[in-house]
Amino acid sequence: MTAPLLVQRPSKALLIGLVVSGVLALIVLAVMLLAGGPVGFGLSALLAVAPLPVLLAAVLSLDRLEPEPKLNLAFAFAWGAGVAIVAGIALTLAGQQLFLRAGYASSAVENIGTVVLAPVIEEALKGSALLLLLRRRIEIDGLTDGIVYASMAGLGFAAVENVGYYLLAFGEDGASGAVQLFVLRGLIDPLGHPIYTSMIGLGVAYALTRRTAFRYAAIPLGYCGAVFLHGLWNGAATTNSLSWLGGAYLVIMAALVLLIVVTVVERRHLVARMAYYLPAYQQTGLVTDADVRMLTTLPARKAARKWARGVGLGRAMGDYQQAATELTLLHLRAERQGMDPRRFALERDALLGAMAQSRRW
């Protein structure tokens, strides 16, 4: 059984947010079904969902050392697919109406909506999922966590948005039009929204895990970065120029490389700190040299879980690895942010208890 500290009780606000977001996503999809018909909607939904398993696996693989709670991840995805989509459409249309009333031509208003309003509004709405998770800040232990939550919100948003885009293409050019658009949105640039919003995730996570005087300035900076990348891609798309699209794509791929580098560097840092902190607990009998070697590389952790499953201890090994990782993260939080000694001791002892309960080899 997992120790209580390892699994937080879900808050009512989180559950309500998950339900409301899910219902809104279903309503949007139902409207699309009624508007586009079963054939067009079915094809569009299939194209939108097809890359999701791979994309979700790619995002979640970033955080294998300390997986985030499934309910939190589901909330971020549903928020992007529901609340962010509905509010994004409503606010963008309202903004375009203001420009029309100001005397702008309809073609100019359409471009303003695509290049300016959509990035500004959508990134604020997707990124707000990170701000809502601030109340459960214990779950955001590093920059990687911010990237993961932001990517989940971006994937949820992109999945529902893509259904709408594919449906429009189907209405104009049939199945071939929808498939052609899928090549661009689903194969060439499937990580656009996750990459944009991950800039906000970096900002929020930095603000939560650092003690610098201006740490909260990272949140608006991350938001500006998300808006810039989103607007750059949308602006390039409106030009119908391959050179502009190619340039924008290279910039976005550079941002993706940056995100990957951040996660790799942070993972190596966590492993190094694990090798530094855990040997101090050898006197408890809960950590040996072999355990430290096993815990500090992903291949060794995987091999240990495989061995444990073979002898009926798979769940126990997983719990032990998670508790040991959480113990290291507890030390890192205390090191970076400071922590009341009594609270530190309470959480440390609970994690040691979880390790003792699960270590049966």
Side-chain angles (χ1 to χ4, degrees), residues 27-349:
I27 291 173
V28 172
L29 292 172
V31 170
M32 291 179 183
L33 171 60
L34 293 174
V39 176
F41 177 82
L43 176 62
S44 301
L46 178 63
L47 293 175
V49 171
L52 263 183
V54 174
L55 298 177
L56 287 170
V59 169
L60 296 178
S61 70
L62 298 176
D63 202 29
R64 286 180 292 168
L65 275 179
E66 191 251 333
E68 298 308 304
K70 292 181 175 61
L71 191 64
N72 286 11
L73 295 171
F75 166 77
F77 184 90
W79 181 270
V83 173
I85 283 285
V86 172
I89 293 172
L91 292 175
T92 300
L93 290 176
Q96 287 178 312
Q97 284 300 313
L98 292 177
F99 280 100
L100 284 171
R101 291 176 184 176
Y104 285 82
S106 58
S107 59
V109 170
E110 184 177 349
N111 286 333
I112 290 172
T114 301
V115 181
V116 179
L117 293 179
V120 169
I121 293 169
E122 291 173 3
E123 293 311 319
L125 290 168
K126 288 183 292 175
S128 62
L130 275 295
L131 298 179
L132 291 170
L133 286 168
L134 289 180
R135 291 182 61 187
R136 299 174 70 79
R137 58 178 59 199
I138 192 173
E139 296 298 349
I140 300 181
D141 296 301
L143 302 181
T144 300
D145 292 347
I147 293 171
V148 169
Y149 283 123
S151 295
M152 292 300 289
L155 285 176
F157 187 95
V160 176
E161 183 186 57
N162 283 343
V163 175
Y165 276 118
Y166 298 152
L167 198 56
L168 288 174
F170 180 86
E172 293 176 0
D173 301 309
S176 62
V179 172
Q180 288 176 11
L181 185 59
F182 167 74
V183 172
L184 177 62
R185 297 184 66 89
L187 297 182
I188 296 177
D189 186 41
L191 286 172
H193 279 290
I195 292 172
Y196 311 150
T197 313
S198 286
M199 299 296 109
I200 303 174
L202 281 177
V204 171
Y206 183 89
L208 286 177
T209 58
R210 300 301 189 274
R211 285 192 291 178
T212 59
F214 301 101
R215 63 187 184 277
Y216 286 105
I219 297 177
L221 286 175
Y223 171 69
C224 290
V227 171
F228 169 74
L229 292 176
H230 196 161
L232 177 66
W233 178 257
N234 284 8
T238 61
T239 66
N240 293 318
S241 166
L242 286 177
S243 59
W244 275 100
L245 273 175
Y249 187 76
L250 288 177
V251 173
I252 293 169
M253 288 302 102
L256 175 60
V257 171
L258 170 66
L259 295 173
I260 294 172
V261 169
V262 167
T263 60
V264 170
V265 170
E266 191 168 67
R267 181 183 295 171
R268 288 180 177 175
H269 176 68
L270 176 56
V271 166
R273 301 312 285 173
M274 200 176 295
Y276 174 78
Y277 287 122
L278 292 183
Y281 293 97
Q282 287 183 338
Q283 61 184 2
T284 66
L286 300 175
V287 180
T288 66
D289 288 336
D291 291 326
V292 173
R293 289 193 298 271
M294 175 269 290
L295 289 164
T296 50
T297 70
L298 287 174
R301 291 166 74 107
K302 183 178 179 181
R305 291 194 300 272
K306 181 178 179 181
W307 167 82
R309 285 194 297 270
V311 295
L313 296 174
R315 176 67 181 273
M317 178 61 76
D319 288 346
Y320 178 82
Q321 290 182 350
Q322 184 182 357
T325 305
E326 293 283 359
L327 181 59
T328 304
L329 290 170
L330 176 65
H331 278 278
L332 283 174
R333 283 199 301 273
E335 180 183 293
R336 290 172 176 170
Q337 303 161 251
M339 185 177 290
D340 177 73
R342 288 176 297 179
R343 181 184 171 190
F344 177 86
L346 180 66
E347 295 190 20
R348 178 201 61 202
D349 292 345

